[in-house]
Amino acid sequence: IMHRMTAISVDDELFNLNLIEEMADMLKLNVVSFQDPRKAAIYAAQNEIDMAFVDYLMPHMDGISLIKYIRALHLEIPIIIITGENSREIKIKALEEGANEFLTKPLDIVEFEARGKNMLVLREYQRLMKNQARFLEKEVKNATSNLLKRENETLQILGKAAEYKDPETANHV
C-alpha cells in the first residue's frame, strides 16, 4: 500500500468504534469514527474516503440505508458491514446495496485484518488505475494538440505555396 488511506467507521456503540480504530491501525488506516450515521453521511458527502466500516443496527438510519447513501457518492470504495445479526437476509440486502464484505460481531481480529487488507489492496489498485487513466487522458490531449498544430502548419505552408504562382505552374497549383 503506497499511502495511508482514510476510512469512516460508523457504530452507535463507542466500544465498537474504539475496537475498529485499534484494529484498523494495524492496517495503517486512518479512521474517522461516528456514533451517528447521519453525521457519517454528511462527512462522506464532503470528504474523500477510501473505505467504510458500517454497523447494521443504529438509531436514525440503519447500516443498509447508509451503505446505499455512501455507494451513491463513492461508487468504488470498499464497504464492510459489521453486525451482530447473522441473518442471510441482511447479508444479501447489504450486498445488493453495495457492501463488499460482511463481518459479524464479536469481531475476530485475524478475519478483520485479512478482509481489511484485501479491501485496501483493491482500493490501492483502483487509485492506481484512476491515476493511470488521468495520465493517459493528459497524453492523448497533448498528442491531439500537437497534431492540430502540425495540421495548421501544413495548411499554412500549402497556402503560401499557392501564393507563389509563376506563369508555368500557376494552373497546376
Side-chain angles (χ1 to χ4, degrees):
I1 310 269
M2 293 170 62
H3 68 283
R4 197 162 169 104
M5 293 192 207
T6 299
I8 59 170
S9 177
V10 191
D11 195 309
D12 56 322
E13 297 289 329
L14 191 56
F15 173 80
N16 292 330
L17 290 174
N18 290 333
L19 182 62
I20 291 168
E21 286 174 17
E22 287 296 316
M23 292 195 300
D25 193 52
M26 294 182 315
L27 300 172
K28 307 276 189 273
L29 186 60
N30 293 323
V31 177
V32 181
S33 295
F34 300 91
Q35 282 185 280
D36 185 339
R38 297 169 301 183
K39 289 182 180 174
I42 292 167
Y43 183 87
Q46 296 173 346
N47 295 275
E48 178 88 18
I49 57 175
D50 295 297
M51 186 184 292
F53 299 99
V54 179
D55 183 30
Y56 172 65
L57 279 176
M58 296 180 289
H60 312 297
M61 177 188 282
D62 69 25
I64 292 175
S65 298
L66 182 57
I67 287 170
K68 189 175 183 176
Y69 181 80
I70 292 170
R71 184 57 71 214
L73 298 168
H74 304 281
L75 288 173
E76 71 287 343
I77 70 160
I79 300 174
I80 299 174
I81 189 162
I82 302 172
T83 184
E85 307 284 319
N86 198 5
S87 96
R88 184 173 186 276
E89 184 181 304
I90 292 171
K91 281 183 182 179
I92 290 170
K93 185 71 173 157
L95 291 169
E96 286 174 347
E97 294 301 338
N100 300 91
E101 282 286 357
F102 194 95
L103 292 172
T104 53
K105 293 177 184 176
L107 287 172
D108 177 276
I109 193 166
V110 175
E111 185 180 14
F112 181 93
E113 188 174 9
R115 291 180 189 265
K117 276 183 183 175
N118 288 342
M119 293 293 100
L120 286 174
V121 167
L122 173 67
R123 181 64 178 143
E124 186 62 34
Y125 283 129
Q126 289 170 339
R127 285 177 159 262
L128 289 171
M129 292 292 288
K130 199 175 196 177
N131 288 340
Q132 182 68 14
R134 280 191 204 122
F135 171 76
L136 291 173
E137 188 178 317
K138 185 178 173 186
E139 289 296 307
V140 167
K141 198 179 245 183
N142 287 341
T144 303
S145 176
N146 287 338
L147 274 173
L148 290 173
K149 284 179 190 172
R150 283 192 213 122
E151 282 181 6
N152 194 19
E153 286 175 17
T154 302
L155 289 173
Q156 287 180 1
I157 290 170
L158 286 172
K160 286 188 185 213
E163 290 175 6
Y164 294 112
K165 299 186 246 179
D166 62 37
E168 249 178 71
T169 62
N171 293 328
H172 297 289
V173 173

Short mmCIF file of all heavy atoms in Angstrom, two decimals, residues 3-28:
data_model
loop_
_atom_site.label_atom_id
_atom_site.label_comp_id
_atom_site.label_asym_id
_atom_site.label_seq_id
_atom_site.Cartn_x
_atom_site.Cartn_y
_atom_site.Cartn_z
N HIS A 3 0.18 4.70 0.32
CA HIS A 3 -0.01 5.81 1.25
C HIS A 3 -1.07 5.42 2.29
O HIS A 3 -1.82 4.46 2.11
CB HIS A 3 -0.43 7.07 0.50
CG HIS A 3 -1.79 6.97 -0.09
ND1 HIS A 3 -2.04 6.26 -1.24
CD2 HIS A 3 -2.99 7.44 0.32
CE1 HIS A 3 -3.33 6.32 -1.51
NE2 HIS A 3 -3.93 7.02 -0.59
N ARG A 4 -1.11 6.15 3.37
CA ARG A 4 -2.07 5.85 4.43
C ARG A 4 -3.46 6.30 3.98
O ARG A 4 -3.67 7.47 3.68
CB ARG A 4 -1.65 6.56 5.71
CG ARG A 4 -2.30 6.02 6.95
CD ARG A 4 -1.50 6.45 8.19
NE ARG A 4 -2.23 6.17 9.40
CZ ARG A 4 -1.96 5.16 10.20
NH1 ARG A 4 -0.95 4.35 9.92
NH2 ARG A 4 -2.65 4.97 11.31
N MET A 5 -4.38 5.38 3.94
CA MET A 5 -5.73 5.68 3.48
C MET A 5 -6.64 6.04 4.65
O MET A 5 -6.30 5.82 5.81
CB MET A 5 -6.29 4.47 2.74
CG MET A 5 -5.57 4.19 1.45
SD MET A 5 -6.50 3.01 0.49
CE MET A 5 -5.19 2.27 -0.44
N THR A 6 -7.80 6.60 4.30
CA THR A 6 -8.77 7.04 5.32
C THR A 6 -10.07 6.28 5.18
O THR A 6 -10.59 6.11 4.08
CB THR A 6 -9.05 8.55 5.16
OG1 THR A 6 -7.82 9.26 5.36
CG2 THR A 6 -10.05 9.03 6.20
N ALA A 7 -10.56 5.82 6.32
CA ALA A 7 -11.85 5.11 6.37
C ALA A 7 -12.77 5.82 7.35
O ALA A 7 -12.31 6.54 8.24
CB ALA A 7 -11.65 3.67 6.82
N ILE A 8 -14.07 5.60 7.16
CA ILE A 8 -15.01 6.01 8.19
C ILE A 8 -15.50 4.74 8.88
O ILE A 8 -15.59 3.68 8.26
CB ILE A 8 -16.20 6.84 7.64
CG1 ILE A 8 -16.99 6.07 6.59
CG2 ILE A 8 -15.73 8.17 7.11
CD1 ILE A 8 -18.31 6.74 6.20
N SER A 9 -15.78 4.88 10.16
CA SER A 9 -16.33 3.79 10.95
C SER A 9 -17.59 4.33 11.61
O SER A 9 -17.57 5.39 12.23
CB SER A 9 -15.31 3.35 12.01
OG SER A 9 -15.86 2.34 12.82
N VAL A 10 -18.69 3.59 11.46
CA VAL A 10 -19.98 4.06 11.96
C VAL A 10 -20.61 2.97 12.81
O VAL A 10 -20.90 1.88 12.32
CB VAL A 10 -20.92 4.44 10.79
CG1 VAL A 10 -22.14 5.16 11.32
CG2 VAL A 10 -20.20 5.27 9.73
N ASP A 11 -20.79 3.29 14.09
CA ASP A 11 -21.42 2.35 15.03
C ASP A 11 -21.95 3.18 16.20
O ASP A 11 -21.26 4.10 16.64
CB ASP A 11 -20.39 1.32 15.52
CG ASP A 11 -21.01 0.12 16.20
OD1 ASP A 11 -21.85 0.32 17.12
OD2 ASP A 11 -20.67 -1.01 15.83
N ASP A 12 -23.13 2.86 16.68
CA ASP A 12 -23.69 3.63 17.78
C ASP A 12 -23.04 3.30 19.13
O ASP A 12 -23.22 4.01 20.10
CB ASP A 12 -25.21 3.47 17.86
CG ASP A 12 -25.65 2.03 17.96
OD1 ASP A 12 -25.03 1.17 17.32
OD2 ASP A 12 -26.62 1.77 18.68
N GLU A 13 -22.23 2.23 19.17
CA GLU A 13 -21.53 1.84 20.40
C GLU A 13 -20.08 2.33 20.36
O GLU A 13 -19.31 1.93 19.48
CB GLU A 13 -21.54 0.32 20.57
CG GLU A 13 -22.92 -0.28 20.74
CD GLU A 13 -23.54 0.05 22.08
OE1 GLU A 13 -22.79 0.20 23.07
OE2 GLU A 13 -24.78 0.18 22.14
N LEU A 14 -19.71 3.16 21.33
CA LEU A 14 -18.36 3.72 21.40
C LEU A 14 -17.30 2.63 21.50
O LEU A 14 -16.23 2.71 20.89
CB LEU A 14 -18.25 4.70 22.58
CG LEU A 14 -17.00 5.56 22.63
CD1 LEU A 14 -16.84 6.36 21.35
CD2 LEU A 14 -17.06 6.49 23.83
N PHE A 15 -17.59 1.57 22.27
CA PHE A 15 -16.65 0.47 22.42
C PHE A 15 -16.29 -0.13 21.06
O PHE A 15 -15.12 -0.38 20.76
CB PHE A 15 -17.22 -0.63 23.33
CG PHE A 15 -16.36 -1.86 23.39
CD1 PHE A 15 -15.22 -1.89 24.20
CD2 PHE A 15 -16.65 -2.96 22.61
CE1 PHE A 15 -14.41 -3.01 24.24
CE2 PHE A 15 -15.84 -4.09 22.63
CZ PHE A 15 -14.72 -4.13 23.45
N ASN A 16 -17.29 -0.36 20.22
CA ASN A 16 -17.06 -0.94 18.89
C ASN A 16 -16.24 0.00 18.01
O ASN A 16 -15.37 -0.45 17.26
CB ASN A 16 -18.38 -1.28 18.21
CG ASN A 16 -19.10 -2.41 18.91
OD1 ASN A 16 -18.48 -3.29 19.49
ND2 ASN A 16 -20.42 -2.39 18.85
N LEU A 17 -16.51 1.30 18.11
CA LEU A 17 -15.72 2.27 17.33
C LEU A 17 -14.25 2.23 17.75
O LEU A 17 -13.36 2.24 16.89
CB LEU A 17 -16.29 3.68 17.50
CG LEU A 17 -17.65 3.94 16.85
CD1 LEU A 17 -18.15 5.33 17.22
CD2 LEU A 17 -17.58 3.77 15.34
N ASN A 18 -14.01 2.19 19.06
CA ASN A 18 -12.63 2.14 19.56
C ASN A 18 -11.93 0.87 19.10
O ASN A 18 -10.75 0.89 18.73
CB ASN A 18 -12.60 2.24 21.09
CG ASN A 18 -12.98 3.62 21.58
OD1 ASN A 18 -12.81 4.62 20.87
ND2 ASN A 18 -13.52 3.69 22.77
N LEU A 19 -12.66 -0.25 19.12
CA LEU A 19 -12.10 -1.53 18.68
C LEU A 19 -11.72 -1.48 17.21
O LEU A 19 -10.62 -1.89 16.81
CB LEU A 19 -13.11 -2.65 18.95
CG LEU A 19 -12.68 -4.06 18.60
CD1 LEU A 19 -11.47 -4.48 19.44
CD2 LEU A 19 -13.84 -5.03 18.81
N ILE A 20 -12.60 -0.95 16.38
CA ILE A 20 -12.32 -0.85 14.94
C ILE A 20 -11.13 0.08 14.70
O ILE A 20 -10.26 -0.22 13.87
CB ILE A 20 -13.57 -0.38 14.18
CG1 ILE A 20 -14.62 -1.50 14.19
CG2 ILE A 20 -13.23 0.03 12.74
CD1 ILE A 20 -15.99 -1.07 13.72
N GLU A 21 -11.06 1.19 15.42
CA GLU A 21 -9.92 2.10 15.28
C GLU A 21 -8.60 1.39 15.59
O GLU A 21 -7.62 1.54 14.87
CB GLU A 21 -10.09 3.32 16.20
CG GLU A 21 -11.12 4.30 15.72
CD GLU A 21 -11.38 5.42 16.71
OE1 GLU A 21 -10.54 5.64 17.63
OE2 GLU A 21 -12.42 6.10 16.58
N GLU A 22 -8.59 0.61 16.68
CA GLU A 22 -7.37 -0.12 17.07
C GLU A 22 -6.99 -1.15 16.02
O GLU A 22 -5.82 -1.26 15.64
CB GLU A 22 -7.57 -0.82 18.43
CG GLU A 22 -7.58 0.12 19.61
CD GLU A 22 -6.25 0.82 19.81
OE1 GLU A 22 -5.19 0.17 19.71
OE2 GLU A 22 -6.28 2.05 20.06
N MET A 23 -7.96 -1.91 15.55
CA MET A 23 -7.66 -2.95 14.55
C MET A 23 -7.27 -2.32 13.21
O MET A 23 -6.39 -2.83 12.52
CB MET A 23 -8.85 -3.90 14.41
CG MET A 23 -9.04 -4.73 15.67
SD MET A 23 -10.12 -6.18 15.49
CE MET A 23 -11.65 -5.48 14.99
N ALA A 24 -7.90 -1.23 12.85
CA ALA A 24 -7.58 -0.56 11.59
C ALA A 24 -6.19 0.05 11.63
O ALA A 24 -5.53 0.18 10.60
CB ALA A 24 -8.63 0.50 11.28
N ASP A 25 -5.73 0.43 12.81
CA ASP A 25 -4.39 0.98 12.95
C ASP A 25 -3.33 -0.04 12.53
O ASP A 25 -2.30 0.32 11.98
CB ASP A 25 -4.15 1.46 14.39
CG ASP A 25 -2.91 2.32 14.49
OD1 ASP A 25 -2.80 3.30 13.71
OD2 ASP A 25 -2.04 2.01 15.33
N MET A 26 -3.61 -1.33 12.76
CA MET A 26 -2.68 -2.38 12.32
C MET A 26 -2.58 -2.40 10.79
O MET A 26 -1.57 -2.82 10.24
CB MET A 26 -3.16 -3.76 12.79
CG MET A 26 -3.14 -3.96 14.28
SD MET A 26 -3.67 -5.63 14.76
CE MET A 26 -5.12 -5.89 13.76
N LEU A 27 -3.63 -1.94 10.13
CA LEU A 27 -3.65 -1.89 8.67
C LEU A 27 -3.11 -0.57 8.13
O LEU A 27 -3.17 -0.30 6.94
CB LEU A 27 -5.08 -2.09 8.15
CG LEU A 27 -5.77 -3.39 8.52
CD1 LEU A 27 -7.24 -3.35 8.11
CD2 LEU A 27 -5.06 -4.57 7.87
N LYS A 28 -2.60 0.28 9.04
CA LYS A 28 -2.09 1.62 8.68
C LYS A 28 -3.21 2.44 8.04
O LYS A 28 -3.01 3.11 7.04
CB LYS A 28 -0.90 1.52 7.73
CG LYS A 28 0.23 0.65 8.21
CD LYS A 28 1.15 1.40 9.13
CE LYS A 28 2.40 0.64 9.47
NZ LYS A 28 2.28 -0.26 10.60
#
